[in-house]
Amino acid sequence: MKIVLLGPPGAGKGTQAKSICNRFSIPHISTGDIFRNHISKRTPLGIEAKKSIDRGELVSDELTINLVEERLMQEDCKIGFLLDGFPRTVIQAKALDEFLENKGEKLDTALLIDVPKDFIIERMSGRRVCLSCGASYHIKFNPPNYEGKCDVCGSDVTQRKDDKEETVKDRLQIYHDQTQPLINYYKVKEMLSIVDGTQAINDVFKNICDILGSGNK
Ligand code: AP5
Ligand code: MG
Ligand code: ZN
């Protein structure tokens, strides 16, 4: 199964991605997590990406597309994958289509987690993330079992730098300008599915499973 997850910052892409990938045994590819991992290791790519991410801006298409294509060429992606946070521009979406087409493959679905702006600020301000494994928590809606520690790997959970209210506003604007057009891009290709992301985390997941079916693709 080859899935693209779409949705505004804070929609719950990372949260749902973990459950979807467990259920369907496919790798979770989050460009945001990959960039954050490079930033924490201070690699050249991390240093370059940090400049944009801290400002809430997008990393360049060229750098991001190369990174994703390299990842998709790895062995574990042969059975499928879930892309979380990519594509984010029409240029990225076209590059992905072309990449898959060259291998005689195509996406199964682009799944939009639909959440209106009003919900986003509360979700972002209470979010805590694990920089080691990418797991995402919320101090009110989804707290870790032990305060400040990741349930999955035991590392410390922290607040993301780009979750400050000012940066969140910029990220929302960029989503509106650059990523929202992808909804129509996939709609025209009859690949778009939409799930109501304002429900409780488990209910969103149930709806997603209904949409994705048994996963025998
Ligand atoms: P990225 O890490 O992808 O950030 P994002 O898309 O802005 O999305 P978030 O990770 O903020 O939100 P999410 O939808 O994953 O929500 P989550 O599950 O955590 O990208 C970061 C940056 O990297 C970008 O700004 C850009 O600079 C760069 N970048 C990444 N990809 C790029 C690309 N392709 N091209 C160029 N640049 C790129 O949930 C949010 C919170 O809400 C959590 O606390 C969670 O516990 C809680 N929550 C989740 N679901 C629910 C629910 N149903 N009810 C209540 N609370 C919930
Ligand atoms: Mg995320
Ligand atoms: Zn962890």
Side-chain angles (χ1 to χ4, degrees), residues 129-137 149-157:
V129 294
C130 171
L131 291 180
S132 298
C133 75
S136 189
Y137 302 92
K149 296 284 172 201
C150 175
D151 292 349
V152 181
C153 73
S155 305
D156 289 344
V157 298

